[in-house]
Amino acid sequence: MKKVKVLIIAAIMIALGNQLNAQSKNDVKNLNYDRGYTFDVELSCSLPTLWEFSTSHGYSFGNGLYVGGGAGFYAEYVPDYKATPTLYTPAFADVKYNITNTLVSPFISLRGGVDFDVCRTGMNINLNPAVGLDISRFFINFGYDTHLGVWRHSKGTNSHYFKIGIGVTL
């Protein structure tokens, strides 16, 4: 399973590698300093048991600020191998600010929204502050992921995770 995940990540990086040297019309080094529509794809892991794939669509204002929204899919695996994973579909708002307009730029971000449980009827509120590093079109982030159950079977349950994610801006 780990080999498959590594191969998928490597294939994405290789397929998009030819885009590394592309510059925008104003010689902008960081894509979040280029005004216009931006689309991100991210694969993340919240330790110890969550794997998430998400996309975010939004607008970059040209000064390092990005505001958008997105959706995704994640699975929560439990240590008991006989139990089936819990599957969620998150919908979220996304705000990101790049500190500098350089090829390698640090950033801070905040995601917040709701997670709909696909397996059972339930819903969580999700909040994910993070810090990270943009490297040309690619990024890596480290954050804190918290979920608060608010409806049906999730009501009253809280979960907290440390999260690491990698992705690409298209």
Side-chain angles (χ1 to χ4, degrees), residues 3 8 10 23 40 56 64 81 84 109 116 122 131 136 138 141:
K3 289 180 182 181
I8 291 171
Q23 293 291 321
D40 292 338
S56 179
Y81 295 107
T84 58
S109 68
F116 299 100
V131 296
S136 184
F138 303 101
N141 61 32

Side-chain angles (χ1 to χ4, degrees), residues 11-33:
I12 291 171
M13 298 292 190
I14 290 169
L16 299 171
N18 62 349
Q19 300 292 329
L20 281 173
N21 294 324
Q23 293 291 321
S24 67
K25 53 192 166 247
N26 296 329
D27 196 33
V28 173
K29 295 178 178 86
N30 187 300
L31 293 178
N32 289 311
Y33 277 83

Side-chain angles (χ1 to χ4, degrees), residues 60-141:
S60 289
F61 290 92
N63 59 358
L65 180 64
Y66 165 82
V67 176
F73 180 78
Y74 73 86
E76 181 174 20
Y77 295 97
V78 291
D80 180 10
Y81 295 107
K82 295 177 183 173
T84 58
T86 305
L87 307 174
Y88 292 93
T89 301
F92 54 85
D94 194 7
V95 177
K96 177 179 172 181
Y97 181 72
N98 279 84
I99 311 291
T100 61
N101 184 13
T102 57
L103 189 61
V104 177
S105 173
F107 67 84
I108 56 174
S109 68
L110 179 64
R111 279 187 176 179
V114 294
D115 300 328
F116 299 100
D117 186 344
V118 177
C119 297
R120 298 172 275 177
T121 331
M123 184 173 73
N124 296 324
I125 293 176
N126 182 356
L127 189 62
N128 177 227
V131 296
L133 198 61
D134 276 334
I135 306 166
S136 184
R137 289 188 172 277
F138 303 101
F139 62 87
I140 185 167
N141 61 32

